[in-house]
Amino acid sequence: MVDAMKKMRLLIGTLLLITCVPVLAEDDTPNPWGIESWTLQTSLYTWHTDPEDYHNNDQNLIGAEAYFNNGWLAGIAVFENSFFQDCQYIFVGKSWPILSSDLWYFKLTGGLLNGYDEPYEDKIPLNGLGVAPAIIPALGFRYKMFFTEANLGGLSAVTITAGVRF
């Protein structure tokens, strides 16, 4: 319960930071950095490409994203990695429709990943300071306000998530 509360406080704090940073347009044009919508999501299952008995397949991910009027997004995800360590991923990104579809999309995010500690710090590249750069591609399906995504974690795992957009 304590870990869940820590995750929720981090998530709420980041959301407040995103929404409290004022971005002002100089005239009556729509603000490109105004928030168009939000998403909240959770993980459903993780599949490892080289599974081991000790791998965690239930990441307990809680994520939130802000989608801006200009098509960009920013977000945070808190989760347990494959080795049951608490992790955070803070990112920016963009999504594109696949073949002009209203349902299918490709999303690419990049940011900083924290939480891969000893003895697993070498499981992600460039983690010398305990924080590593990360790029996460995802394939998504959205129907009305509900969506699901398959997120690729390097070459080692695929995490299925689901959530709502409002």
Side-chain angles (χ1 to χ4, degrees), residues 54-74:
Y54 56 82
H55 276 152
N56 177 15
N57 292 322
D58 184 12
Q59 268 52 56
N60 297 314
L61 179 139
I62 300 171
E65 297 171 344
Y67 281 76
F68 300 102
N69 291 331
N70 61 9
W72 286 86
L73 63 100

Side-chain angles (χ1 to χ4, degrees), residues 4-65:
M5 291 304 294
K6 283 177 23 183
K7 288 179 182 181
M8 191 57 68
R9 281 195 302 267
L10 179 62
L11 184 63
I12 290 169
T14 303
L15 294 176
L16 287 173
L17 179 64
I18 290 170
T19 58
C20 292
V21 175
V23 180
L24 303 174
E26 293 182 16
D27 53 18
D28 290 338
T29 59
N31 182 352
W33 291 102
I35 296 176
E36 171 195 307
S37 62
W38 290 94
T39 66
L40 290 175
Q41 62 185 318
T42 188
S43 57
L44 301 177
Y45 183 75
T46 297
W47 173 76
H48 291 86
T49 56
D50 188 16
E52 298 290 342
D53 290 339
Y54 56 82
H55 276 152
N56 177 15
N57 292 322
D58 184 12
Q59 268 52 56
N60 297 314
L61 179 139
I62 300 171
E65 297 171 344

Side-chain angles (χ1 to χ4, degrees), residues 129-143:
L129 298 174
V131 176
I135 296 174
I136 310 250
L139 174 64
F141 177 81
R142 178 177 169 205
Y143 181 73

Side-chain angles (χ1 to χ4, degrees), residues 70-83:
N70 61 9
W72 286 86
L73 63 100
I76 183 170
V78 291
F79 60 97
E80 291 178 2
N81 67 20
S82 299
F83 309 102

Side-chain angles (χ1 to χ4, degrees), residues 116-162:
Y116 277 78
D117 299 322
E118 287 186 11
Y120 305 107
E121 70 275 10
D122 294 332
K123 294 293 184 178
I124 57 173
L126 304 173
N127 191 32
L129 298 174
V131 176
I135 296 174
I136 310 250
L139 174 64
F141 177 81
R142 178 177 169 205
Y143 181 73
K144 297 187 180 181
M145 65 184 288
F146 301 101
F147 67 93
T148 186
E149 294 178 352
N151 298 273
L152 184 60
L155 298 176
S156 60
V158 175
T159 299
I160 306 299
T161 63

